[in-house]
Amino acid sequence: MREARSPAEKAATEPAPLLSLRGISREFPGAKALAGVDLDIHEGEFVAIVGPSGSGKSTLLNVLGVLDTPTSGTYRIHGTDVALLREQQRSEERAQTFGFVFQDSHMVGRDPAARNAVLGLRARGISLAVQKRLVGPVLERFGLAHRAGTPASLLSGGERQRLAIARAVIGSPEVVLADEPTGSLDTANGEIVLRHLRELHRKGTTVILVTHDPAIAASADRVVTMRDGTVVSDTGSVVRSGEDDGGRAPESVRDRRLVRRRRDEFADAIADSLSSLTVRPAKALLLVLAFLLGSGGLVAAIGLSESAAVKVSSRIDAAANDEVRANRETGYGSWDEATADISRAKSLSGVRGVGVVADLSASVVQPSTFRPGSFPAQSGFSGAVRVTDSEYLRIQGAKVSQGDAALLDYSFGGPVALLGADAARQLGVAKPGPGVVVWLFGEPVPVVGLIEDPGRDPVLSGAVVVGVGSYPVTDRIAATLVLRTVPGMPAALADALPKALNPAQTSDVKVQTVADLRELKHGVNEDLGRLVAVVSVVLLAIACLSAGTTMYLGVLARTAEIALRRALGMRRAAVAGMFLVEGAMVGLIGGAAGGAVGMAAVLAYARSEGWAPAVPWYAAGWGIALGLGSGIVSAVYPALVASRANPAQLIRG
Ligand code: ADP
Ligand code: MG
């Protein structure tokens, strides 16, 4: 029976029912839930679907709500074949046309009532301002205003179900689908819920209600009875216009403010992942730590390789163009032999200066500020003991303060020592002067100056330097001649030196130019580069794996909530985005922290090695970028799993 309507209204509504099922079947493995259902539902109806358990009521509701896809048959909404809709348009239908009330209220328990009420709006990318404007009145209407801030898990069953209706209708859907909404309530609360549904219907919303309760069914305008997946009886369409005559009430008119906006969808994804991180801080910390280790290791590796390269190359570049080193394979029998080589080398053209350097074993020399055996015993000196002439210091560009390098060459009886700045600090010598000695070979040696700047020879800053000839030679001396040349001459001199020093046996003379060192530098960089690659790949793989696993478990723990959001109209891509954002955020935080820790580690290491630390600025950028990238990568699989969550699974309860 229908009320008389104007011809225009009839033309608009009658030829195309709001929802139309033709021959709809839904088969599950081993069960045929729906077997050829034909059903038309018009705007403004209040339909009760009844039938024994397992007769296909919930499946029918799922199909109507576009939560489930029929195996065969045609389903049209407003005349549009749902089978032709893309996934995103199906989400749009769920969001705009339908509001769902399930038997279990399916609240996000930790979230307050108000946030649960707007879950559907959030899932649809509705702006925060609109959410705020809508939530107050709707909570008021369902008698929940005073519970707005209460976590949903603390609400009573009746309150939760009223909140579920509030959530279903806040976006002004055309159709409310309710699957046994009073099934878990006592009679009084069931009455209240039913009254709210009738009120919605009175204001123009189409209501489809699955129920067990004959009393409720009897109060509906139309009763559809199901058995074994088919409709066995239908009392037929009864459309009553709303009380404010004129067809659909204003409430059901699509609200222009309720338009999905990507920006708001994205903002909600960020807010959601932030809250999921703060709700489980221990988990979040663990994830951040994983990425911190990965990207921190990488930054440290880059920094270390760069610092090492700088250390090597500063020496190489300094020596770039004007240095040749030579030594005798058999060493020297005395310092006089070495001096003879120096003058031979000096006689070659293109040579600007020739110095000599040799190292003594610090463990034999045992430099110390205290007389050996006296108290306190000193910890071992960790620097070098270098034997040089003053010419060597000059051509290396070393600067001696509070003393005179020339004293190395003319010490007038007994050795004297110069101390590099670090060596002086280690030995506790503040400044040289009368009576200031260091003990070498168990004998006191006057300190005659400090090396303020080691010039091109970084070893000097940590070295005790004594003059050539300070000590009697007992073994052959492995001394190296260092030649400073006119720029561009090292190659020519390298050729000439062996003949000039030992014409009888040129093979005894070993010559080293910068070209040899260049190869060394190359080798060093390549080795470190490989190490960087291996270490960072391993660390990041571990980080990705552990983060991915943790996030995957998180997805499993939240399937119901995710399915709920999908049912409320969240797009598949947005669900995936939610987890990708979470991964990105964790990765970003871990990467940034890793960058800082990695840099600090390099600085500390370089300092302990006495290198000039050279942490390139881009290393920190790498840390952040890699943290971000691997965070996203680790979230890909969990995001995929989450986006596949089946909303139909939820309504079934
Ligand atoms: P009702 O809501 O009327 O109790 P349902 O629509 O939930 O009935 O189920 C109808 C039939 O389909 C039942 O036999 C049920 O076991 C089956 N069924 C429903 N969902 C699934 C599923 N996901 N997998 C397999 N069988 C299902
Ligand atoms: Mg059911």
Side-chain angles (χ1 to χ4, degrees), residues 53-54 56-59 103 179-180 210 212 651-653:
S53 178
K57 305 183 296 294
S58 294
T59 306
Q103 174 168 1
D179 195 355
E180 312 211 23
V210 168
H212 257 73
I651 202 172
R652 205 161 277 128

Side-chain angles (χ1 to χ4, degrees), residues 38-51:
D38 294 332
L39 187 66
D40 283 344
I41 291 171
H42 293 87
E43 276 175 20
E45 285 198 86
F46 192 117
V47 184
I49 298 176
V50 298

Side-chain angles (χ1 to χ4, degrees), residues 370-397:
F370 298 97
R371 182 194 298 274
S374 72
F375 185 84
Q378 238 186 341
S379 58
F381 175 75
S382 69
V385 180
R386 288 220 129 155
V387 183
T388 73
D389 54 4
S390 62
E391 183 68 358
Y392 175 80
L393 297 182
R394 190 184 69 76
I395 64 179
Q396 293 293 17

Side-chain angles (χ1 to χ4, degrees), residues 468-525:
V468 167
S470 299
Y471 295 99
V473 173
T474 56
D475 209 345
R476 294 191 72 80
I477 313 162
T480 302
L481 301 193
V482 179
L483 284 71
R484 185 68 64 236
T485 75
V486 171
M489 287 298 283
L493 280 167
D495 286 344
L497 263 173
K499 205 166 272 174
L501 297 186
N502 191 355
Q505 198 189 346
T506 51
S507 64
D508 181 39
V509 178
K510 294 293 168 223
V511 179
Q512 211 183 28
T513 62
V514 172
D516 311 326
L517 288 172
R518 285 231 161 99
E519 256 156 45
L520 171 75
K521 175 189 179 184
H522 197 66
V524 168
N525 285 349

Side-chain angles (χ1 to χ4, degrees), residues 565-645:
R565 287 167 185 252
R566 292 274 292 133
L568 296 180
M570 194 165 193
R571 290 184 308 123
R572 200 169 249 179
V575 173
M578 210 164 75
F579 286 92
L580 291 177
V581 165
E582 187 174 331
M585 258 193 311
V586 169
L588 193 67
I589 297 169
V597 168
M599 300 263 249
V602 172
L603 290 180
Y605 184 74
R607 207 190 153 95
S608 76
E609 287 291 299
W611 300 353
V615 188
W617 63 269
Y618 67 79
W622 264 108
I624 294 173
L626 255 118
L628 180 65
S630 49
I632 292 175
V633 165
S634 72
V636 165
Y637 183 67
L640 211 69
V641 171
S643 71
R644 295 268 159 87

